[in-house]
């Protein structure tokens, strides 16, 4: 009986949080459309999200390209299909691996950072002070961060894909003496707009989910230093879950259009 009550409480809490998050999203779109626009703060947040995430995204993408090629090459050699390696790696990275891995990296770095930063401001009553002084803290703190994440994540995905493909090329160049021009010609021959457009489009939604969850958890942080840690931790978990859900929906919709 006690276990059933706990499960029911957990389910109710989950749907309650989904409702609050939906209200938070609606407020974001409402504030986003109203002037004044905080362009200087938006650029500052774009630098924080994009430039500071670039080293981690680049290294991760490069290693993914190396590992994927090293793991896959022996299997393709058994079937005499090594020449298809650039096509396989290019499609896998651009369609699925690149966007999801980069989004998860940003969920760990960006969502937790936003949750901790806004949570600290809430705990130290800086947000309350902005409200009292007549400033709109939601527009200045939340809207700029969500927009910056939406704008920067597709660029980070493209750069992560590029580093992953370069890592794959290095393995092919060492193992099979494939030239740079030949490798990337085969990669681009296998890719089309039907691969690039869904990948870039869902990257925008990944950025929306990461920025939204990070800001939501931090902005509504409970009082106390423990609340800051909880906000940062739960922001990463919820953002990662939303990334997988959005990815599933995007793949499902893309598959419908392919069939049509």
């Amino acid at each position: 009986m006690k276990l059933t009550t706990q499960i029911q409480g957990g389910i109710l809490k989950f749907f309650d949080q989904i409702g609050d998050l939906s209200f938070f999203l609606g407020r974001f779109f409402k504030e986003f459309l109203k002037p004044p626009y905080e362009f200087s703060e938006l650029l500052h947040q774009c630098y924080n999200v994009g430039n500071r995430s670039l080293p981690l995204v680049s290294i991760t993408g490069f290693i993914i390209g190396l590992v994927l090629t090293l793991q896959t090459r022996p299997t393709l050699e058994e079937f005499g299909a090594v020449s298809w390696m650039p096509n396989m790696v290019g499609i896998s990275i651009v369609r699925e691996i690149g966007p999801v891995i980069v989004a998860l990296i940003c969920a760990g770095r960006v969502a937790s950072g936003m949750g901790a930063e806004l949570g600290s401001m809430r705990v130290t009553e800086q947000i309350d002070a902005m409200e009292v002084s007549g400033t709109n803290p939601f527009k200045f703190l939340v809207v700029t961060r969500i927009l910056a994440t939406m704008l920067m994540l597709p660029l980070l995905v493209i750069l992560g894909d590029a580093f992953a493909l370069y890592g794959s090329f290095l393995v092919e160049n060492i193992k099979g003496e494939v030239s740079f021009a030949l490798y990337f010609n085969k990669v681009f021959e296998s890719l089309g707009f039907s691969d690039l457009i869904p990948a870039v489009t869902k990257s925008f939604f990944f950025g929306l989910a990461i920025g939204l969850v990070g800001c939501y958890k931090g902005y509504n942080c409970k009082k106390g230093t423990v609340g800051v840690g909880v906000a940062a931790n739960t922001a990463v978990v919820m953002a990662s879950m939303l990334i997988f859900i959005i990815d599933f929906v995007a793949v499902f919709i893309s598959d419908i259009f392919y069939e049509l």
Side-chain angles (χ1 to χ4, degrees):
M1 188 68 181
K2 186 177 180 181
L3 180 61
T4 305
T5 306
Q6 289 178 345
I7 293 173
Q8 290 176 347
I11 294 173
L12 289 174
K13 185 178 179 181
F14 171 77
F15 282 107
D16 184 55
Q17 201 164 52
I18 292 296
D20 288 343
L21 191 63
S22 301
F23 177 78
F24 198 80
L25 177 62
R27 187 179 176 187
F28 160 72
F29 284 115
K30 179 182 176 182
E31 296 288 349
F32 162 66
L33 296 172
K34 291 194 308 184
Y37 305 107
E38 304 287 349
F39 289 112
S40 58
E41 179 64 15
L42 176 61
L43 291 176
H44 176 67
Q45 294 303 324
C46 286
Y47 172 81
N48 286 337
V49 173
N51 187 65
R52 293 185 177 178
S53 300
L54 183 58
L56 183 59
V57 168
S58 303
I59 294 170
T60 305
F62 183 73
I63 293 173
I64 286 172
L66 290 175
V67 172
L68 182 62
T69 307
L70 286 171
Q71 292 285 349
T72 310
R73 201 171 200 282
T75 304
L76 293 181
E77 282 180 337
E78 291 180 7
F79 294 96
V82 181
S83 60
W84 288 95
M85 176 65 72
N87 307 63
M88 186 277 295
V89 172
I91 292 173
S92 300
I93 288 175
V94 171
R95 276 190 187 178
E96 190 64 26
I97 298 175
V100 172
I101 294 297
V102 171
L104 290 174
I105 291 170
C106 290
R109 201 201 78 82
V110 177
S112 62
M114 289 180 179
E117 184 180 9
L118 294 184
S120 299
M121 295 182 72
R122 174 64 74 183
V123 168
T124 56
E125 299 182 350
Q126 294 180 52
I127 295 177
D128 298 332
M130 292 177 70
E131 291 174 346
V132 171
S133 64
T135 307
N136 186 346
F138 192 93
K139 193 173 191 65
F140 185 81
L141 298 174
V142 175
V143 173
T144 54
R145 282 167 170 78
I146 296 177
L147 282 178
T149 314
M150 292 174 65
L151 293 173
M152 289 296 105
L153 201 72
L155 297 178
L156 290 171
V157 167
I158 292 171
L159 289 170
D161 291 348
F163 278 99
L165 292 173
Y166 184 72
S168 176
F169 156 72
L170 288 181
V171 175
E172 282 296 287
N173 182 256
I174 295 169
K175 296 268 188 180
E177 298 181 357
V178 178
S179 68
F180 184 88
L182 176 61
Y183 183 87
F184 281 94
N185 280 337
K186 297 192 73 174
V187 168
F188 292 125
E189 281 176 6
S190 64
L191 295 174
F193 285 107
S194 59
D195 302 310
L196 296 173
I197 293 175
V200 174
T201 302
K202 69 183 179 182
S203 298
F204 280 102
F205 289 98
F206 289 162
L208 174 63
I210 293 168
L212 179 70
V213 171
C215 292
Y216 166 74
K217 288 294 183 180
Y219 199 80
N220 297 296
C221 174
K222 294 181 180 179
K223 299 294 183 180
T225 54
V226 176
V228 177
V230 171
N233 185 40
T234 54
V236 176
V237 176
M238 183 178 284
S240 300
M241 286 180 59
L242 284 177
I243 286 167
F244 287 119
I245 293 170
I246 292 169
D247 184 55
F248 168 75
V249 173
V251 171
F252 184 76
I253 294 173
S254 299
D255 187 60
I256 292 173
F257 281 105
Y258 285 144
E259 290 181 359
L260 296 176

